[in-house]
Amino acid sequence: MILAVSALVLSSCSDYLDTESPSQQTSQVIFENEGMARSAIMDIYGNLTGTYVYGQKMSVNWQGVSDIELASGYNSDPSKELTSDTGAANFYSDWYNHTVQWKDIFAMAERASTAVEGIRNSDAFKSGNKVMTRFLGEALTLRSLAYFELVRRWGDIPYKEGTSESDLSNVYAGKTDRDEIYAALVRDMQEAVDYLPWMGEEAEYTCERITKGFAKGLLARIALFAGGWSVRDGNQFTDDSNVEHYNGSASGMGELNGFYVGRAKNWRDYYEIAEQQCAEMIGDLQNPHHLDPDYGDIWKTVNHLDYNAYGENLFEVANGMGYNGDVGTLMGREQDGNIGFGSFGWGSSYVNSNGYYFYSFTPTDTRRDYACYFPKFGKENNQVHEIMRGDLLNVHFGKWCYFWTSDGYKALARTASGRPSTGINWILMRYSDVLLMFAEARYQLTGNADSKSGVAGMSAREALEKVRERAFGAGSAEIKKYDSDFFNAIVNERAWEFGCEGIRKLDLVRWGLLDQKIEEMKEALVKMYDGRLEVKIFDKTYQPTDFPEKLYYKYQSGDQSQFIDMQSCNFYRSLNANPDPAVYKELTWMRRENPNVDDIVNRSVRILVCGSGLRAKYDYSSLLSQLQFGSEIQAKLTQMTLGNGVCNYRHLFSIYYDDIYKSNGYLQNSYGYDHSLD
């Protein structure tokens, strides 16, 4: 039935955005019948698992460069790789970059629009059919999700609320101002939340279906982006009467060539919506979502293809083992191939992190080793076990692990000749996000972290500390130890909570902090390699001797003897000698004596060119003057391209040339991605 409905729903009508629409008669047939309507809705869900949606690009590659995630980040000169994920991740690209195509997301929006229109016009919906009403809530949410991903990644885009007409009269269109799009998405989501059941209220509404909790959370997220900062094209959208220009003094944020950083002047209205939705959810006794008391359990259950028992995950993209989903194989705890667990290996470095993120954590934070994991599983001296690595520019994320996967996947991996799709669901939102969005919105509106919401029954501070309580354990003094600036505390907490979940870079964008945080990361890392200077990381300050020259570690005992005892590692202190050479292994961690100059220079250059397409130009002379090998680093930097030369805060993707070519002249690139047809 799904295949039959797909064929009907997807009769072709447009090359422009590769979107399709049924005839009026077919739509009437489909959406008057609950079974066929359900199949049409399921077809939209199927779009979520596509390679250019959450199957790979939005879950893995498009995490890009932030201060904690480095998808294709550290390269010798990313400005030379304009048609790859490496170029796009570092804010370089050109219109031939097929790795950032939008057509599959637009196809999802079109299919959802077909369902919205069909259900609205059906007698079944008009008569109050509860099933069709729920389907409309799902379709509205899925369409809003598609357009939300498009607008926050490409900025101003073509937008229409209805389906494509067969005569193409409404297909060819230019860009719509993002503020108009956000306003429309908020309206749609405000309608959708009233149509949807809570998770578990109806048997089939699990975390793999759109429910009230996710709809309210998504509405809050959309509202925060609608009220957030982004780069804007003042050349095309000349009326900025409703836009507040960024007027701060931060480098890399200034207006240039008509491109500027701005946000909607009515941003407070959107923050009020975000606070309201989160507060209503937190305070509702019917709310089935709770924090899993064990942070690690979130990842062990999703890796094992199980549902979270506490309803922590508001919505998961339902991948199918062997069919879709590169989550885990392309990022996670690294495992070599050909060691008895499958020939392809696991936990590739498509997305990794660094020592900066690792050292941002308090040592007792239980999230640290799920966020940052140094060891890899491989063969060493004829032993198959974990091998500690000391590369601070290649720290893998620990939330995905082969040993947590299901028996079915392990059997598949052992016999596969290539990289088998894991089927691990991609978590789009967790309940901790609702708590932290509430904390952020309420604090930004009131300026008071202790002002209690009567709807939520808690204050912004209590919501933040509820998340921290899980991280450190009830009664821990660390729960209340965070940045004295409450907004900075939220910025930091979201980094620790959501690393490698596709959230951080886009959070930083809307806060207007992406450039600043990337530069703070770069400065800290080059100073760590310099080995003589004080280093600031988030809310912490380290002296050079706080980083050990030698790391000592031992293995666990019993059934876990193949795995390193992470608590045995002296990550935060120097030791004069190996505590017990018969038990502890060792490796060089941070070399201060007899430094390898070439290695330090090369690594420092890779750090400084990372993400450097974000600004128009860069000047690192002041920083380099502090470094002992600053002149050598500068000599290599002069051979590189630093800056895009055109636009500051260029966080958006370029539009693919084929979409521009097929737009009949309606579309063009902005932000220095312009090219004429060859």
Side-chain angles (χ1 to χ4, degrees), residues 198-199 201 211-214 216 277-291 310-312 314 431 434-435:
W198 287 108
M199 188 177 73
E201 190 175 326
T211 61
K212 187 182 294 291
F214 175 67
K216 292 177 81 67
Q277 292 301 316
C278 294
E280 287 177 357
M281 188 173 173
I282 294 167
D284 196 321
L285 296 178
Q286 292 183 291
N287 173 23
H289 302 287
H290 309 280
L291 292 181
Y310 296 86
E312 164 109 10
L314 276 62
Y431 187 57
V434 173
L435 290 167

Side-chain angles (χ1 to χ4, degrees), residues 553-554 578-585:
Y553 62 96
K554 65 180 180 178
N578 190 320
D580 185 347
V583 175
Y584 282 81
K585 288 180 172 287

Side-chain angles (χ1 to χ4, degrees), residues 332-548:
R333 300 190 181 194
E334 186 180 8
Q335 181 171 294
D336 288 342
N338 298 313
I339 54 174
F341 302 101
S343 62
F344 198 84
W346 177 274
S348 182
S349 58
Y350 276 71
V351 187
N352 61 2
S353 190
N354 53 35
Y356 175 80
Y357 186 35
F358 178 84
Y359 279 106
S360 75
F361 283 90
T362 299
T364 55
D365 191 330
T366 58
R367 298 170 295 191
R368 187 197 69 181
D369 294 341
Y370 294 99
C372 298
Y373 205 71
F374 284 99
K376 75 170 182 177
F377 202 86
K379 194 170 187 177
E380 179 186 49
N381 299 325
N382 292 320
Q383 285 186 297
V384 175
H385 61 182
E386 280 191 332
I387 304 164
M388 181 61 83
R389 298 174 306 171
D391 187 351
L392 296 185
L393 299 189
N394 185 21
V395 182
H396 285 234
F397 286 95
K399 293 177 178 177
W400 296 275
C401 176
Y402 173 88
F403 296 107
W404 300 336
T405 62
S406 66
D407 290 342
Y409 178 77
K410 292 186 178 78
L412 176 65
R414 283 193 293 269
T415 58
S417 59
R419 183 180 74 234
S421 295
T422 64
I424 295 173
N425 286 356
W426 179 246
I427 303 171
L428 272 186
M429 186 174 292
R430 297 193 282 108
Y431 187 57
S432 55
D433 203 347
V434 173
L435 290 167
L436 292 177
M437 285 192 293
F438 166 76
E440 176 187 347
R442 182 157 186 84
Y443 178 71
Q444 291 290 73
L445 289 168
T446 66
N448 186 342
D450 298 303
S451 170
K452 185 167 291 192
S453 162
V455 177
M458 65 172 59
S459 66
R461 189 180 306 281
E462 287 170 328
L464 172 73
E465 292 180 357
K466 189 173 182 66
V467 175
R468 290 180 63 81
E469 181 179 43
R470 175 174 66 182
F472 293 101
S476 171
E478 294 294 340
I479 295 171
K480 296 183 178 296
K481 291 182 180 178
Y482 45 81
D483 199 298
S484 58
D485 183 313
F486 192 75
F487 175 72
N488 288 341
I490 292 169
V491 170
N492 294 342
E493 201 64 41
R494 290 184 66 84
W496 295 321
E497 182 71 16
F498 302 122
C500 202
E501 296 181 48
I503 291 175
R504 181 61 171 181
K505 184 187 81 171
L506 295 167
D507 265 352
L508 293 176
V509 167
R510 67 179 177 84
W511 289 325
L513 293 176
L514 181 62
D515 181 273
Q516 176 186 326
K517 292 299 182 180
I518 289 175
E519 294 308 305
E520 288 176 1
M521 175 267 290
K522 291 182 183 181
E523 179 175 341
L525 282 173
V526 296
K527 286 183 176 180
M528 288 171 74
Y529 278 109
D530 183 86
R532 304 174 305 119
L533 303 171
E534 182 178 89
V535 178
K536 293 184 179 179
I537 302 178
F538 282 35
D539 56 351
K540 300 170 179 64
T541 300
Y542 291 93
Q543 300 303 320
T545 53
D546 292 332
F547 306 117

